[in-house]
């Protein structure tokens, strides 16, 4: 049951279905989509609203339950039959959400059994428990995790802990989570999988591995960072009626509708120079493939002409790329009619590579993308440069400790871009675009099949191509990550997650662009 559902609805391929999964903005030209907030910030905001109007608490709970039922009805109940529904109920209002949802399942004709981990419940949860009982639900106070009997065709509703949880799950709660994670049944978590810290995404010991998580009102940081993104399964938005306009975001999700209408446009009289000539300095004797991938990706992304310089004698590039060995005079001459430059993929860390990076870093009149080995060798960063580190490279760039949290690393990245007036594309899942002009933009496009050698070289090629075609640095960075991720999803569908390679992402760009 679980494997079939996951194969049909993989988390990383479902971001365009508005109202059901992660949402796109109604403003199709805006790069910025929905808010990503801290769990504590949202809880404080909700508390203020409820203090002004106490009845809102129950209204919100009923609306959330109805939204979650419709969410399950559209994406799961319409495809699979479940023998019964099992509620896992905590003592807080997350448990009340579970009871309210359980009552809707009872009305729809399902057998529903609730297991409470505590005899005491919050006032509102007690009220919803009574309504659940009235509808004919069966309710038990749990003493041991083994008392929960689960069949593989059951639906488990996780209402144990909410987004406010932090710390380590212990005792009975830990045993219940460990038992549930071993089952083949489909697991649906309310707002966030129990055991995941809603503010950070960290899991200190254990947490529910959900097949689907309904995030209520707004995405929380914990859904996407640290361990959280591994636990949420498929994320589905549920509106429970709260006006979140006054809620302050920590960052924003990218607007996935923005790619199609923000790509560079071509005029009938355009030629290869007007649509964007770029220089790519990449590759070395031991790593010529990085240059091949970056230059090919740049051309496939719309660059009119790609001029390549390398320290390798045999770069093995495609015929459309003009390639030659490093010559600073030639590079300086070519820069006169070049619109963007990429340095780093496969460059190596030799003394020669160091001299090349030092020379290029003195340029201030051309949009610059700094990737891979060039990040390691970089001493001075020209303003408006776009740096594309993965986590390890970012840690080194910021000179911070290796075991730094995502939260702290992002804070340090924000300080760095404000100091140097650059853009950082922190590659990973999620990928985060950090600028000094606004709050970070988070992207969750792509899939684990893109964790393959050369994938970053492809992204760098797309990015420099977009810069060369006249896009501003932030816009180019966001759209490049979107295009890269979308091409990666197409490549996965055509090849499978395990077998896809970086070249497949380039081949898939034609379907994206």
């Amino acid at each position: 049951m679980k494997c079939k559902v996951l194969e049909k609805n993989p988390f990383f391929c479902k971001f365009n279905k508005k109202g059901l999964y992660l949402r796109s903005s109604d403003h199709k030209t805006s790069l910025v989509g929905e808010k990503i907030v801290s769990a504590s910030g949202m809880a404080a905001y909700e508390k203020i609203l409820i203090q002004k109007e106490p009845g809102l608490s129950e209204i919100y709970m009923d609306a959330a339950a109805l939204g979650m039922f419709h969410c399950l009805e559209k994406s799961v109940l319409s495809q699979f039959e479940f023998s019964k529904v099992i509620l896992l109920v905590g003592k807080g209002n997350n448990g009340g959400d579970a009871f309210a949802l359980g009552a809707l399942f009872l009305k729809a004709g399902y057998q529903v059994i609730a297991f409470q981990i505590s005899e005491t419940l919050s006032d509102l949860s007690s009220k919803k428990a009574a309504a659940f009982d009235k509808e004919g639900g069966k309710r038990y106070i749990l003493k041991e995790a083994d008392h929960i009997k689960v069949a593989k065709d059951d639906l488990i509703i996780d209402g144990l802990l909410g987004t406010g949880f932090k710390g380590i799950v212990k005792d009975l709660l830990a045993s219940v989570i460990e038992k549930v994670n071993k089952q083949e049944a489909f697991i649906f978590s309310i707002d966030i999988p129990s055991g995941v810290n809603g503010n950070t995404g960290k899991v200190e010991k254990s947490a529910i591995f959900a097949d689907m998580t309904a995030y209520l009102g707004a995405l929380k940081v914990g859904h996407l960072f640290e361990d959280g993104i591994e636990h949420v399964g498929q994320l589905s938005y549920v509106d429970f009626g709260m006006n979140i306009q006054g809620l302050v975001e920590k960052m924003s999700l990218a607007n996935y509708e923005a790619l199609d209408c923000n790509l560079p446009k071509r005029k009938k009289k355009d030629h290869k120079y007007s649509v964007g000539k770029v220089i790519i300095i990449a590759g070395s004797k031991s790593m010529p493939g990085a240059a091949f991938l970056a230059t090919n990706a740049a051309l496939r992304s719309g660059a009119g002409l790609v001029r390549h310089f390398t320290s390798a004698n045999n770069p093995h590039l495609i015929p459309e790329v003009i390639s030659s060995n490093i010559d600073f005079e030639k590079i300086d001459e070519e820069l006169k009619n070049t619109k963007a430059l990429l340095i780093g993929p496969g460059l190596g860390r030799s003394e020669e590579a160091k001299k090349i990076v030092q020379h290029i870093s003195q340029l201030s009149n051309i949009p610059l993308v700094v990737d891979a080995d060039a990040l390691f060798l970089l001493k001075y960063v020209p303003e408006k440069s776009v740096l594309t580190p993965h986590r390890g490279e970012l840690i080194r760039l910021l000179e911070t400790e290796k075991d730094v949290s995502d939260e702290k690393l992002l804070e340090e990245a924000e300080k760095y871009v404000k100091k140097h007036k650059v853009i950082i594309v922190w590659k990973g899942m999620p990928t985060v675009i950090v600028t000094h002009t606004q709050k970070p933009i988070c992207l969750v496009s792509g899939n684990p099949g893109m964790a393959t050698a050369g994938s970053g070289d492809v992204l760098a090629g797309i990015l420099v191509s977009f810069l060369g075609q006249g896009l501003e640095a932030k816009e180019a960075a966001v759209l490049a990550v979107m295009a890269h991720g979308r091409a990666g999803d197409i490549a996965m569908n055509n090849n499978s997650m395990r077998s896809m390679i970086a070249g497949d992402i380039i081949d898939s760009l034609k379907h994206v662009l």
Side-chain angles (χ1 to χ4, degrees):
M1 167 65 75
K2 184 181 294 188
C3 291
K4 289 180 181 177
V5 173
L6 284 174
E7 285 172 5
K8 192 167 185 65
N9 293 317
F11 168 67
F12 298 95
C13 298
K14 291 293 183 180
F15 297 111
N16 289 337
K17 295 203 173 181
K18 196 171 182 181
L20 181 57
Y21 307 108
L22 291 180
R23 301 166 294 156
S24 297
S25 170
D26 290 331
H27 304 288
K28 292 188 177 182
T29 58
S30 173
L31 298 177
V32 179
E34 62 180 296
K35 296 178 179 181
I36 302 173
V37 305
S38 69
S40 56
M42 184 158 182
Y45 180 73
E46 184 176 1
K47 185 176 180 180
I48 292 171
L49 296 178
I50 291 172
Q51 284 175 343
K52 293 179 180 178
E53 192 176 342
L56 279 178
S57 185
E58 186 171 3
I59 292 171
Y60 286 160
M61 186 172 286
D62 289 339
L66 188 60
M68 288 187 287
F69 186 82
H70 287 323
C71 174
L72 283 163
E73 193 173 39
K74 289 178 183 177
S75 56
V76 179
L77 302 181
S78 60
Q79 300 178 49
F80 301 96
E81 293 184 4
F82 294 99
S83 60
K84 64 180 180 295
V85 178
I86 295 175
L87 308 182
L88 303 177
V89 182
K91 62 182 180 180
N93 280 354
N94 204 245
D97 291 327
F99 279 128
L101 179 56
L104 293 176
F105 271 103
L106 288 167
K107 289 177 181 178
Y110 287 84
Q111 178 189 2
V112 186
I113 301 173
F115 292 99
Q116 293 176 216
I117 60 167
S118 172
E119 290 189 26
T120 60
L121 297 169
S122 69
D123 291 343
L124 187 52
S125 292
S126 294
K127 185 175 181 180
K128 295 305 173 185
F132 174 79
D133 294 342
K134 190 175 181 180
E135 290 293 336
K138 297 179 180 178
R139 186 156 57 102
Y140 302 96
I141 307 298
L142 203 58
K143 300 298 183 182
E144 295 182 16
D146 287 342
H147 291 166
I148 302 174
K149 303 300 180 185
V150 182
K152 65 180 181 180
D153 57 349
D154 287 344
L155 171 61
I156 298 175
I157 307 295
D158 163 32
L160 294 169
L161 300 168
T163 57
F165 172 80
K166 55 186 176 181
I168 302 174
V169 293
K170 299 177 181 178
D171 306 325
L172 176 60
L173 182 58
S175 299
V176 169
I177 289 174
E178 288 167 11
K179 171 163 183 156
V180 168
N181 282 340
K182 293 176 182 177
Q183 308 305 312
E184 294 183 46
F186 190 92
I187 304 174
F188 177 85
S189 285
I190 297 173
D191 213 6
I192 201 164
S194 295
V196 177
N197 184 316
N199 281 320
T200 66
K202 281 192 172 183
V203 173
E204 298 294 343
K205 182 181 178 183
S206 58
I208 291 287
F209 279 101
D211 294 295
M212 178 184 287
T213 298
Y215 67 97
L216 306 180
L219 278 167
K220 287 79 179 176
V221 174
H223 289 129
L224 303 178
F225 287 84
E226 299 284 1
D227 308 295
I229 198 164
E230 301 292 348
H231 284 260
V232 293
Q234 179 179 291
L235 279 169
S236 300
Y237 166 70
V238 169
D239 182 0
F240 64 95
M242 178 191 286
N243 182 350
I244 65 168
Q245 293 302 313
L247 192 57
V248 178
E249 69 269 27
K250 296 280 286 185
M251 61 192 81
S252 297
L253 192 71
N255 173 23
Y256 294 93
E257 296 293 327
L259 177 62
D260 296 331
C261 53
N262 283 282
L263 289 173
K265 303 296 188 293
R266 288 197 177 187
K267 300 174 182 177
K268 290 181 180 180
K269 289 188 176 182
D270 272 334
H271 50 80
K272 63 186 177 184
Y273 290 102
S274 65
V275 298
K277 174 189 172 184
V278 301
I279 290 177
I280 294 179
I281 301 175
S284 57
K285 186 176 181 179
S286 60
M287 291 181 287
F292 173 86
L293 292 167
T295 54
N296 198 354
L299 282 172
R300 290 294 186 183
S301 302
L305 190 151
V306 175
R307 188 71 168 88
H308 171 240
F309 291 93
T310 181
S311 60
N313 291 321
N314 297 299
H316 303 297
L317 300 186
I318 59 177
E320 293 85 353
V321 174
I322 304 168
S323 182
S324 60
N325 288 341
I326 294 290
D327 183 316
F328 290 151
E329 288 186 7
K330 281 187 178 180
I331 292 174
D332 292 343
E333 183 64 27
E334 292 285 350
L335 283 170
K336 293 177 182 178
N337 61 355
T338 297
K339 296 185 177 180
L341 186 149
L342 162 64
I343 184 168
L347 195 64
R349 300 179 184 179
S350 64
E351 283 301 312
E352 182 183 12
K354 186 176 181 180
K355 291 177 183 177
I356 296 167
V357 172
Q358 287 174 345
H359 180 80
I360 298 302
S361 66
Q362 300 306 309
L363 303 175
S364 59
N365 59 344
I366 184 170
L368 182 64
V369 179
V370 184
D371 184 51
D373 292 318
L375 289 166
F376 182 87
L377 300 170
L378 194 67
K379 299 299 180 185
Y380 169 76
V381 191
E383 287 189 6
K384 299 182 181 179
S385 297
V386 182
L387 315 183
T388 58
H390 55 59
R391 194 177 201 279
E393 291 167 338
L394 183 58
I395 287 172
R396 187 188 181 283
L397 181 71
L398 302 178
E399 298 180 334
T400 188
E401 61 273 12
K402 290 183 178 180
D403 59 348
V404 64
S405 68
D406 285 355
E407 183 179 31
K408 180 65 175 176
L409 191 58
L410 186 55
E411 288 176 3
E412 293 300 314
E414 290 183 275
K415 291 177 184 176
Y416 186 93
V417 299
K418 286 179 181 177
K419 178 180 178 180
H420 296 283
K421 302 296 187 294
V422 297
I423 290 175
I424 288 178
V425 179
W426 173 12
K427 297 183 295 191
M429 182 53 74
T431 291
V432 185
I433 313 294
V434 190
T435 77
H436 66 281
T437 57
Q438 69 179 89
K439 292 186 178 180
I441 299 174
C442 187
L443 297 103
V444 283
S445 54
N447 61 81
M450 298 173 75
T452 183
S455 180
D457 304 324
V458 174
L459 174 61
I462 299 170
L463 209 167
V464 75
S465 176
F466 285 177
L467 282 172
Q469 293 172 70
L471 295 180
E472 295 295 323
K474 180 186 71 176
E475 187 178 18
V478 173
L479 296 176
V481 175
M482 284 184 183
H484 185 248
R486 192 178 290 181
D489 286 339
I490 294 169
M492 179 191 72
N493 291 334
N494 291 337
N495 298 277
S496 89
M497 191 178 292
R498 293 185 187 276
S499 67
M500 64 182 285
I501 59 175
D504 298 328
I505 302 173
I506 298 174
D507 292 341
S508 299
L509 282 171
K510 61 189 175 187
H511 301 295
V512 177
L513 305 176

